[in-house]
Amino acid sequence: MTQANVLYDAPGPRARARSRVISVVGVIALVALLGWVVWRLAQPQVAVNGNETPGMFSPSRWDVLAYGEVWRYIVSGVWNTLRAAFTAMVGAMLVGMLFAFGRLAERAWIRVPVTVVLEFFRGMPVLLMMLFILLVAATGAFWAVVIALIVYNGAIIGEALRAGIVALNTGQREAGLSIGLTPVRTRLMIEFPQAFTQMLPIIIAQMVVLLKDTSLGYIVAYPELASTVKNASNFYGNGYMFTFWVVAVAIYLAINLTVSWIGRRAARMAAARRA
């Protein structure tokens, strides 16, 4: 028995043909569904009172994008989103390191309180955290969004780093202690860099989630991208709502794909250096 068919037999001619048929049918069904969605959006909308409005792809719904003030308003929302996201990313990494080292501390009076605090923050919704920070700590909207994202995502990243450190061979730590390093320096200089490299894909995925969670800033009146688009659609009329949301989706996709690409590049470079 070869390694290729330990868990399953190699597909025969009939299975391969059936797989090709299912793939073709699935692609055709998906294209048909997308075509129907596009056709449906292009149809004029008829209200209950009989008034007819143009379809979503009508030029009358997209002429608003020719106004310079519209793009200046959208760019301000993008800037606020990026500013909050990258500030929270740096803070979440630092807080995550502290949580990871606290969870792995040998002294119970450090480990137990850190564990309780970490589990509390992991279980708290980010939305409620933003409201609590704004109302109780009396911070501005920016810091309410940033601190909530730092605390929540720091707890998630801390658990990922802790798992990476625990997964390392115990010989790594023993080697550091044997050459005279203190336990803290061993963890910081030997264990943490390896755990960070191993957990980098998870950390990057969490950073993308963090960036998307900035859209929750609307609850504290922070003018990030989603809130900006909503306000613009209210100002220019509901007829432009679909237009503004398409622009917002395209911007979010561009930002998230860029962050993911940077993360993959960093992971490959770190793996190459480690090799």
Side-chain angles (χ1 to χ4, degrees), residues 235-251:
F235 180 79
Y236 288 98
N238 290 334
Y240 295 108
M241 182 179 294
F242 178 78
T243 304
F244 284 119
W245 283 112
V246 168
V247 172
V249 168
I251 294 174

Side-chain angles (χ1 to χ4, degrees), residues 42-56:
Q43 299 305 304
Q45 307 293 315
V46 180
V48 177
N49 57 7
N51 292 334
E52 183 175 295
T53 57
M56 296 301 176

Side-chain angles (χ1 to χ4, degrees), residues 50-114:
N51 292 334
E52 183 175 295
T53 57
M56 296 301 176
F57 302 114
S58 173
S60 62
R61 288 185 178 269
W62 297 85
D63 57 0
V64 71
L65 298 181
Y67 302 153
E69 62 269 17
V70 170
W71 286 108
R72 284 192 292 272
Y73 192 53
I74 292 175
V75 168
S76 69
V78 174
W79 165 246
N80 288 330
T81 293
L82 295 178
R83 185 165 64 106
F86 286 111
T87 305
M89 286 177 185
V90 175
M93 285 301 307
L94 297 176
V95 171
M97 289 176 56
L98 295 177
F99 275 137
F101 291 168
R103 285 288 313 263
L104 294 171
E106 297 179 355
R107 294 177 175 84
W109 63 271
I110 298 177
R111 184 178 64 255
V112 174
V114 169

